[in-house]
Amino acid sequence: MDIIDRLEVKVIEAEDLSSADSLFPTPYTEIVVGPDIKKTKPLPESNNPVWNHPTMVFNQILGNGTDSLVAYVKHWDMFTGKDSNIGMVVIPLATCLNAPGIDIDDWYSLQATSEMKMRPSGRIHIIMTYFNAIDEDVIMNVTVPTLQAPNLLQIRVLEGDFTSGILSKSPFESFVVVQVNDLRKESKVSKRSLTPVWDDSIELPVSDGSSMIELTVKKQTQLLRSIFLGRLRIPINEIAAAGDIGINKEYALLNENFEFIEGGNGRIKLQMKWVFDSATEEETKRQKSRTNKKGFLSRIAKTIFRSGTSKDEEEVETTSPLINKDDDDPTSFMNEETLDMTPYELSQYLEEKRRKRKEEIEQLLSKEGEGYDEPIIKEGDYTIQVHIIECADLKGLDISGLSDPQCYIEIFGQKQKTRIIRNSLSGFFDETFYFNFKDLKREQIQDGTLKITVYNYNWFRPSQLIGFFQTDLLSIYNTKDHEYYRHWASLRNPNLKDDIGSQGSVKFSAVVLGPGDNQKFHDPIKDEDDDEIDLEQSQGTLSVDLGDGVSQSLHFLVVSIIKAEGLPGFDRFISSQKNGLYAYFSLEFAGNK
């Protein structure tokens, strides 16, 4: 006979609620138990609503395999009729199922959902009671299962789509970094494609349901370099709400500040589950049972390895890119971080390090005939100098057909701007800007970008975007003398659907100086003469940098003039007859006439 059981839920009240759409939200609660959904009535303009809603009854809890209750608190906009999330909470039913007939009366803090742009606030008061009415013939053979709290996060990174993104237009290799608190793992590197397929599984031992999953997609370039493509954050309680089914969803990637931008940073498809794993539970118990669990293995290893290392061996240095001096040093993994690791954490750390080193060697071996002359990326203080020289051939956005250009320079979130040049499509700024950054890490330098944006300045309304140019700082640092000198770059505006070509160009110099680097001296008068010679030799055609992922090639525009029809005549001075006219044709393209 089927087991007939039920869960009774009373939504009492909530307090300290907030909403991005309204100072005083109109809140209601949506309760999800298995396949069933029930709602309270919305209470207008209340941060501390008291619903005291009649009891909600959910049946077949065991039959549906339901192990949690999900409560969504939402704001209902009475003008638009649309809903927006205020917060959510996932409540495990283990305690309730193991204590039938007893009221579980508690307050629960609200957590964020993936669609929310603001941090949630407030909490909700819910009373739950479980009743298990079982036929007497089977009552001795049926027991309420003891549910285990999830402890293992399973993520399958499936595929991505960067065909509509603004960061690259040519195929590239990419990989995904998944991080929860201090745990971090990377996917395998995909083949060169704008629609990469990783199809890689990542598992992390996570037991805290309030944690956030931070996922970053990076472009793999030469050797150890990687360039930021996009990122997103997913609350684990959102995955918990899906239960054993998990989430199979496509997400839009955000920029470095977790903001959505026009044109987008691409999309990624994921499968995610948060489950209980007995092996992970056993490993956790073994760690807790050790009397000296912090740093035990690492300290013993350090003592043993140091005793067997001679002074001569310590002085040996390697110059081959395929040989890492850390590979032959058994204590190379010893640092402040690893000394505090448990044996399980240390083994995971070393396994990840070996995998990364193997991939690096395979990449180096695949580049036969290529040099290995990239400078070493040094951590420390960096100074970045940007000289905005001039702009040319800008699009006219004012009614007069001209613009009022002003340049913004952005590095690591810091912005500086030039003066405004009035009523011009070309002009000289000749302004230099300095950016100083303390204690930059290697990953920060690899992910850093220089962005130059040109706006049409408006005094009484928002300035209009003419176009921007963006390049990674590592590309500048890896060039000779760590600089782009008197560099022409094309401006692009991804917001324009009908005009995807160049919106003008900007000429600039940029130098990236790290610890121990010196800036090269240039003779400005000689360099200006060289610019004029190069312009004459190129017959007036500038070689312009189009930015990351955009290639430049030579094309010819050929226009044939055949005939004209229906042209108006003109009056002769000596008669009233209208005769033909002396017509000619004028063509102008890209500044040439």
Side-chain angles (χ1 to χ4, degrees):
M1 183 174 181
D2 292 338
I3 299 174
I4 307 299
D5 59 346
R6 71 184 188 276
L7 177 69
E8 295 184 357
V9 180
K10 297 178 183 179
V11 181
I12 307 300
E13 59 184 319
E15 61 181 20
D16 300 329
L17 300 182
S18 62
S19 173
D21 300 328
S22 174
L23 180 62
F24 296 103
T26 301
Y28 72 92
T29 300
E30 182 179 276
I31 302 295
V32 181
V33 178
D36 299 328
I37 301 176
K38 299 182 185 296
K39 302 178 182 179
T40 67
K41 293 182 178 180
L43 296 181
E45 298 187 350
S46 176
N47 296 99
N48 301 286
V50 179
W51 291 288
N52 280 324
H53 192 272
T55 301
M56 302 176 181
V57 180
F58 300 88
N59 297 315
Q60 290 287 354
I61 306 303
L62 294 179
N64 293 325
T66 306
D67 58 2
S68 62
L69 175 151
V70 184
Y72 293 92
V73 181
K74 299 185 178 183
H75 161 65
W76 178 67
D77 192 326
M78 63 181 65
F79 297 104
T80 64
K82 296 182 178 180
D83 300 330
S84 59
N85 287 320
I86 297 177
M88 69 172 293
V89 61
V90 180
I91 307 174
L93 295 179
T95 302
C96 198
L97 297 181
N98 287 300
I102 299 177
D103 291 343
I104 307 298
D105 187 342
D106 205 351
W107 286 85
Y108 302 92
S109 299
L110 297 179
Q111 305 292 329
T113 65
S114 59
E115 293 82 6
M116 294 178 61
K117 297 181 180 180
M118 60 177 291
R119 185 182 297 275
S121 66
R123 57 180 188 159
I124 186 171
H125 183 194
I126 296 176
I127 301 176
M128 300 181 297
T129 311
Y130 176 70
F131 296 94
N132 188 10
I134 305 177
D135 188 272
E136 294 182 357
D137 295 334
V138 295
I139 192 168
M140 298 304 294
N141 299 321
V142 178
T143 57
V144 178
T146 301
L147 300 179
Q148 300 285 352
N151 61 0
L152 183 65
L153 179 65
Q154 298 176 335
I155 298 179
R156 191 167 188 83
V157 184
L158 298 176
E159 57 189 7
D161 185 356
F162 298 92
T163 55
S164 59
I166 65 173
L167 297 178
S168 181
K169 293 299 180 184
S170 60
F172 52 82
E173 298 176 345
S174 59
F175 63 98
V176 180
V177 180
V178 178
Q179 183 165 351
V180 180
N181 299 326
D182 295 331
L183 302 176
R184 184 177 186 272
K185 281 193 176 183
E186 296 180 0
S187 73
K188 64 184 180 183
V189 179
S190 72
K191 296 181 180 179
R192 296 177 62 86
S193 175
L194 290 177
T195 55
V197 177
W198 298 286
D199 196 17
D200 196 8
S201 296
I202 294 176
E203 293 187 345
L204 295 173
V206 179
S207 56
D208 184 5
S210 63
S211 301
M212 299 287 289
I213 304 170
E214 185 170 316
L215 186 144
T216 306
V217 183
K218 295 187 177 183
K219 178 168 68 172
Q220 181 76 25
T221 57
Q222 295 180 359
L223 302 180
L224 307 183
R225 292 175 48 196
S226 60
I227 299 174
F228 173 86
L229 292 176
R231 63 173 33 158
L232 61 93
R233 278 179 178 163
I234 305 170
I236 290 183
N237 56 25
E238 182 175 327
I239 302 174
D244 294 335
I245 300 175
I247 291 178
N248 188 343
K249 186 176 178 181
E250 187 177 79
Y251 293 86
L253 293 171
L254 308 177
N255 66 5
E256 292 168 303
N257 299 320
F258 295 97
E259 300 171 341
F260 182 80
I261 61 175
E262 292 284 342
N265 287 67
R267 305 183 68 84
I268 187 171
K269 189 173 183 180
L270 304 170
Q271 288 180 352
M272 296 175 289
K273 286 184 180 181
W274 191 33
V275 299
F276 173 77
D277 180 68
S278 57
T280 304
E281 179 73 10
E282 291 175 3
E283 179 62 32
T284 303
K285 290 180 179 179
R286 283 197 297 268
Q287 294 179 40
K288 290 182 180 180
S289 65
R290 304 192 182 197
T291 55
N292 189 17
K293 59 181 182 296
K294 286 295 183 183
F296 174 75
L297 179 61
S298 56
R299 282 195 290 271
I300 291 180
K302 187 173 182 179
T303 303
I304 295 174
F305 292 143
R306 276 185 173 174
S307 63
T309 304
S310 66
K311 182 177 180 180
D312 294 337
E313 291 174 346
E314 293 177 354
E315 295 176 353
V316 174
E317 295 185 356
T318 60
T319 58
S320 170
L322 298 181
I323 301 178
N324 190 330
K325 64 182 180 180
D326 290 341
D327 294 343
D328 295 328
D329 181 9
T331 65
S332 61
F333 60 86
M334 298 297 181
N335 51 50
E336 294 181 359
E337 179 183 4
T338 56
L339 282 176
D340 289 332
M341 287 184 178
T342 64
Y344 175 76
E345 293 171 340
L346 183 62
S347 64
Q348 294 291 314
Y349 171 84
L350 294 177
E351 180 183 354
E352 188 71 13
K353 186 176 180 181
R354 284 192 294 269
R355 187 182 70 83
K356 288 182 180 179
R357 183 57 183 163
K358 182 180 178 181
E359 290 180 356
E360 294 168 7
I361 294 174
E362 289 176 350
Q363 291 176 9
L364 289 168
L365 292 174
S366 65
K367 299 179 180 297
E368 297 182 0
E370 295 184 11
Y372 184 80
D373 54 359
E374 288 195 7
I376 298 174
I377 305 170
K378 295 167 284 188
E379 297 184 348
D381 299 344
Y382 274 75
T383 297
I384 302 173
Q385 175 183 318
V386 181
H387 179 202
I388 303 298
I389 303 171
E390 61 177 303
C391 60
D393 301 324
L394 301 179
K395 289 297 177 72
L397 300 183
D398 290 338
I399 299 177
S400 62
L402 301 175
S403 290
D404 303 322
Q406 182 180 31
C407 295
Y408 279 75
I409 305 95
E410 180 178 359
I411 304 173
F412 289 123
Q414 294 187 18
K415 291 185 179 180
Q416 300 189 48
K417 61 184 178 180
T418 66
R419 70 182 189 278
I420 304 164
I421 299 179
R422 302 286 183 178
N423 300 320
S424 177
L425 299 180
S426 300
F428 285 86
F429 294 98
D430 193 22
E431 296 183 52
T432 303
F433 304 90
Y434 296 89
F435 297 82
N436 297 306
F437 301 98
K438 291 285 187 180
D439 300 324
L440 285 183
K441 302 299 181 183
R442 184 174 290 103
E443 293 78 10
Q444 292 176 287
I445 302 168
Q446 292 173 342
D447 293 342
T449 58
L450 164 65
K451 185 177 182 180
I452 301 175
T453 308
V454 181
Y455 289 95
N456 175 38
Y457 175 80
N458 291 306
W459 177 72
F460 56 90
R461 56 189 176 90
S463 299
Q464 299 164 281
L465 174 64
I466 296 178
F468 73 87
F469 170 79
Q470 179 172 301
T471 187
D472 58 284
L473 296 178
L474 206 55
S475 294
I476 302 176
Y477 190 76
N478 286 343
T479 57
K480 184 180 179 182
D481 301 316
H482 312 307
E483 67 174 347
Y484 281 1
Y485 187 67
R486 304 182 73 82
H487 190 80
W488 278 103
S490 176
L491 301 173
R492 291 176 287 161
N493 187 348
N495 299 332
L496 300 178
K497 297 181 179 179
D498 299 330
D499 186 5
I500 60 175
S502 174
Q503 307 299 306
S505 54
V506 61
K507 186 178 184 181
F508 71 97
S509 297
V511 57
V512 179
L513 299 177
D517 295 330
N518 297 316
Q519 186 173 1
K520 179 182 178 181
F521 170 76
H522 295 277
D523 185 348
I525 299 177
K526 179 179 181 300
D527 292 332
E528 288 181 2
D529 294 339
D530 291 342
D531 284 349
E532 293 179 0
I533 294 173
D534 293 339
L535 187 61
E536 293 174 358
Q537 293 177 349
S538 62
Q539 298 179 351
T541 304
L542 295 174
S543 177
V544 181
D545 187 346
L546 302 180
D548 294 338
V550 180
S551 60
Q552 185 178 16
S553 59
L554 180 63
H555 295 270
F556 292 94
L557 175 65
V558 179
V559 180
S560 300
I561 312 302
I562 309 299
K563 66 176 181 178
E565 294 180 345
L567 299 181
F570 66 94
D571 295 333
R572 297 179 62 92
F573 291 106
I574 58 176
S575 70
S576 60
Q577 296 179 345
K578 288 185 178 291
N579 295 320
L581 71 160
Y582 298 100
Y584 69 93
F585 182 85
S586 176
L587 174 66
E588 184 173 348
F589 177 77
N592 297 312
K593 188 174 181 180

PDB file of all heavy atoms in Angstrom, residues 124-135:
ATOM      1  N   ILE A 124      12.780  35.141   7.446  1.00  0.00           N
ATOM      2  CA  ILE A 124      11.389  34.720   7.363  1.00  0.00           C
ATOM      3  C   ILE A 124      11.093  33.699   8.461  1.00  0.00           C
ATOM      4  O   ILE A 124      11.948  32.874   8.812  1.00  0.00           O
ATOM      5  CB  ILE A 124      11.064  34.154   5.970  1.00  0.00           C
ATOM      6  CG1 ILE A 124       9.574  33.860   5.834  1.00  0.00           C
ATOM      7  CG2 ILE A 124      11.901  32.919   5.666  1.00  0.00           C
ATOM      8  CD1 ILE A 124       9.158  33.517   4.423  1.00  0.00           C
ATOM      9  N   HIS A 125       9.873  33.747   9.000  1.00  0.00           N
ATOM     10  CA  HIS A 125       9.432  32.877  10.094  1.00  0.00           C
ATOM     11  C   HIS A 125       8.494  31.819   9.515  1.00  0.00           C
ATOM     12  O   HIS A 125       7.430  32.147   8.984  1.00  0.00           O
ATOM     13  CB  HIS A 125       8.727  33.720  11.170  1.00  0.00           C
ATOM     14  CG  HIS A 125       8.301  32.931  12.362  1.00  0.00           C
ATOM     15  ND1 HIS A 125       7.417  33.417  13.299  1.00  0.00           N
ATOM     16  CD2 HIS A 125       8.644  31.673  12.790  1.00  0.00           C
ATOM     17  CE1 HIS A 125       7.221  32.507  14.238  1.00  0.00           C
ATOM     18  NE2 HIS A 125       7.955  31.441  13.961  1.00  0.00           N
ATOM     19  N   ILE A 126       8.893  30.541   9.631  1.00  0.00           N
ATOM     20  CA  ILE A 126       8.116  29.434   9.077  1.00  0.00           C
ATOM     21  C   ILE A 126       7.987  28.331  10.131  1.00  0.00           C
ATOM     22  O   ILE A 126       8.948  28.033  10.861  1.00  0.00           O
ATOM     23  CB  ILE A 126       8.785  28.862   7.810  1.00  0.00           C
ATOM     24  CG1 ILE A 126       8.814  29.915   6.696  1.00  0.00           C
ATOM     25  CG2 ILE A 126       8.065  27.613   7.311  1.00  0.00           C
ATOM     26  CD1 ILE A 126       9.533  29.470   5.445  1.00  0.00           C
ATOM     27  N   ILE A 127       6.783  27.728  10.191  1.00  0.00           N
ATOM     28  CA  ILE A 127       6.554  26.579  11.064  1.00  0.00           C
ATOM     29  C   ILE A 127       6.232  25.372  10.179  1.00  0.00           C
ATOM     30  O   ILE A 127       5.351  25.446   9.315  1.00  0.00           O
ATOM     31  CB  ILE A 127       5.385  26.831  12.040  1.00  0.00           C
ATOM     32  CG1 ILE A 127       5.682  28.060  12.911  1.00  0.00           C
ATOM     33  CG2 ILE A 127       5.131  25.601  12.909  1.00  0.00           C
ATOM     34  CD1 ILE A 127       4.535  28.436  13.826  1.00  0.00           C
ATOM     35  N   MET A 128       6.952  24.240  10.398  1.00  0.00           N
ATOM     36  CA  MET A 128       6.737  23.027   9.620  1.00  0.00           C
ATOM     37  C   MET A 128       6.411  21.856  10.559  1.00  0.00           C
ATOM     38  O   MET A 128       7.031  21.722  11.632  1.00  0.00           O
ATOM     39  CB  MET A 128       7.989  22.677   8.808  1.00  0.00           C
ATOM     40  CG  MET A 128       8.430  23.731   7.828  1.00  0.00           C
ATOM     41  SD  MET A 128       9.895  23.218   6.912  1.00  0.00           S
ATOM     42  CE  MET A 128      11.100  23.067   8.245  1.00  0.00           C
ATOM     43  N   THR A 129       5.463  21.030  10.123  1.00  0.00           N
ATOM     44  CA  THR A 129       5.109  19.831  10.885  1.00  0.00           C
ATOM     45  C   THR A 129       4.902  18.683   9.901  1.00  0.00           C
ATOM     46  O   THR A 129       4.172  18.827   8.917  1.00  0.00           O
ATOM     47  CB  THR A 129       3.827  20.039  11.698  1.00  0.00           C
ATOM     48  OG1 THR A 129       3.910  21.270  12.422  1.00  0.00           O
ATOM     49  CG2 THR A 129       3.624  18.884  12.682  1.00  0.00           C
ATOM     50  N   TYR A 130       5.556  17.550  10.183  1.00  0.00           N
ATOM     51  CA  TYR A 130       5.454  16.378   9.308  1.00  0.00           C
ATOM     52  C   TYR A 130       4.575  15.319   9.961  1.00  0.00           C
ATOM     53  O   TYR A 130       4.690  15.036  11.166  1.00  0.00           O
ATOM     54  CB  TYR A 130       6.846  15.810   9.038  1.00  0.00           C
ATOM     55  CG  TYR A 130       6.836  14.542   8.211  1.00  0.00           C
ATOM     56  CD1 TYR A 130       6.488  14.567   6.871  1.00  0.00           C
ATOM     57  CD2 TYR A 130       7.164  13.312   8.810  1.00  0.00           C
ATOM     58  CE1 TYR A 130       6.471  13.397   6.127  1.00  0.00           C
ATOM     59  CE2 TYR A 130       7.154  12.146   8.069  1.00  0.00           C
ATOM     60  CZ  TYR A 130       6.803  12.196   6.722  1.00  0.00           C
ATOM     61  OH  TYR A 130       6.776  11.048   5.980  1.00  0.00           O
ATOM     62  N   PHE A 131       3.668  14.727   9.160  1.00  0.00           N
ATOM     63  CA  PHE A 131       2.789  13.659   9.641  1.00  0.00           C
ATOM     64  C   PHE A 131       2.948  12.452   8.734  1.00  0.00           C
ATOM     65  O   PHE A 131       2.881  12.586   7.508  1.00  0.00           O
ATOM     66  CB  PHE A 131       1.325  14.125   9.641  1.00  0.00           C
ATOM     67  CG  PHE A 131       1.056  15.258  10.588  1.00  0.00           C
ATOM     68  CD1 PHE A 131       1.095  16.576  10.151  1.00  0.00           C
ATOM     69  CD2 PHE A 131       0.781  15.009  11.929  1.00  0.00           C
ATOM     70  CE1 PHE A 131       0.850  17.622  11.022  1.00  0.00           C
ATOM     71  CE2 PHE A 131       0.535  16.065  12.800  1.00  0.00           C
ATOM     72  CZ  PHE A 131       0.572  17.379  12.351  1.00  0.00           C
ATOM     73  N   ASN A 132       3.157  11.286   9.337  1.00  0.00           N
ATOM     74  CA  ASN A 132       3.367  10.056   8.588  1.00  0.00           C
ATOM     75  C   ASN A 132       2.281   9.062   8.973  1.00  0.00           C
ATOM     76  O   ASN A 132       2.377   8.370   9.980  1.00  0.00           O
ATOM     77  CB  ASN A 132       4.756   9.487   8.886  1.00  0.00           C
ATOM     78  CG  ASN A 132       5.092   8.317   7.976  1.00  0.00           C
ATOM     79  OD1 ASN A 132       4.366   8.050   7.013  1.00  0.00           O
ATOM     80  ND2 ASN A 132       6.167   7.626   8.290  1.00  0.00           N
ATOM     81  N   ALA A 133       1.186   8.978   8.164  1.00  0.00           N
ATOM     82  CA  ALA A 133       0.089   8.046   8.408  1.00  0.00           C
ATOM     83  C   ALA A 133       0.288   6.834   7.526  1.00  0.00           C
ATOM     84  O   ALA A 133       0.033   6.858   6.327  1.00  0.00           O
ATOM     85  CB  ALA A 133      -1.249   8.714   8.097  1.00  0.00           C
ATOM     86  N   ILE A 134       0.746   5.701   8.103  1.00  0.00           N
ATOM     87  CA  ILE A 134       1.102   4.506   7.343  1.00  0.00           C
ATOM     88  C   ILE A 134       0.154   3.365   7.690  1.00  0.00           C
ATOM     89  O   ILE A 134      -0.268   3.198   8.841  1.00  0.00           O
ATOM     90  CB  ILE A 134       2.559   4.088   7.643  1.00  0.00           C
ATOM     91  CG1 ILE A 134       3.505   5.277   7.370  1.00  0.00           C
ATOM     92  CG2 ILE A 134       2.972   2.897   6.821  1.00  0.00           C
ATOM     93  CD1 ILE A 134       4.933   4.984   7.699  1.00  0.00           C
ATOM     94  N   ASP A 135      -0.219   2.554   6.727  1.00  0.00           N
ATOM     95  CA  ASP A 135      -1.096   1.406   6.933  1.00  0.00           C
ATOM     96  C   ASP A 135      -0.469   0.465   7.970  1.00  0.00           C
ATOM     97  O   ASP A 135       0.731   0.221   7.997  1.00  0.00           O
ATOM     98  CB  ASP A 135      -1.286   0.653   5.615  1.00  0.00           C
ATOM     99  CG  ASP A 135      -2.343  -0.424   5.739  1.00  0.00           C
ATOM    100  OD1 ASP A 135      -1.983  -1.543   6.130  1.00  0.00           O
ATOM    101  OD2 ASP A 135      -3.515  -0.130   5.427  1.00  0.00           O
TER     102      ASP A 135
END
